[in-house]
Amino acid sequence: MVKHIVTFKLKGSPSERLELAQRFRDALVELPSKIDVLKSIEVGLNQNPAETYDVVLTAVVSTLDEVGIYAKHPAHVAAAGIIGGHVEVRACVDYEC
């Protein structure tokens, strides 16, 4: 199994960032029913005002190649489009578990 962990720091006011993050989360949690290679996904929204990142996601797939399949799937591309243009920083780690 491979865990694909991504964090996002969004642009905008706190309320704008929260609204985008919520819409993004809502779209992401629907993806396991739409993308066969996606075993699970967990999405968290930051609740600590002392921290600057807004969203973290952990997606689980079987192989590193499947991370690419997941990333290019139209449903994922549509979900990512919700925050497209609003991402200040993105960080990602993929590891076998």
Side-chain angles (χ1 to χ4, degrees):
M1 297 301 243
V2 173
K3 286 193 177 183
H4 171 71
I5 300 174
V6 188
T7 61
F8 298 91
K9 181 178 181 179
L10 303 176
K11 300 175 188 174
S13 70
S15 62
E16 291 169 332
R17 292 176 14 233
L18 178 59
E19 189 271 331
L20 283 167
Q22 290 170 332
R23 288 180 41 223
F24 185 46
R25 176 199 57 209
D26 293 348
L28 290 173
V29 298
E30 298 296 323
L31 294 182
S33 67
K34 299 176 181 181
I35 303 174
D36 291 339
V37 299
L38 187 57
K39 305 296 182 206
S40 67
I41 192 163
E42 181 178 343
V43 183
L45 304 184
N46 183 33
Q47 297 179 343
N48 183 347
E51 298 297 335
T52 59
Y53 277 75
D54 300 291
V55 181
V56 63
L57 73 88
T58 302
V60 178
V61 295
S62 294
T63 67
L64 192 55
D65 288 340
E66 288 180 353
V67 173
I69 294 167
Y70 153 76
K72 294 176 186 173
H73 191 282
H76 174 264
V77 172
I82 293 168
I83 61 170
H86 301 281
V87 176
E88 185 173 328
V89 180
R90 176 189 178 274
C92 177
V93 174
D94 296 318
Y95 67 93
E96 291 185 5
C97 53

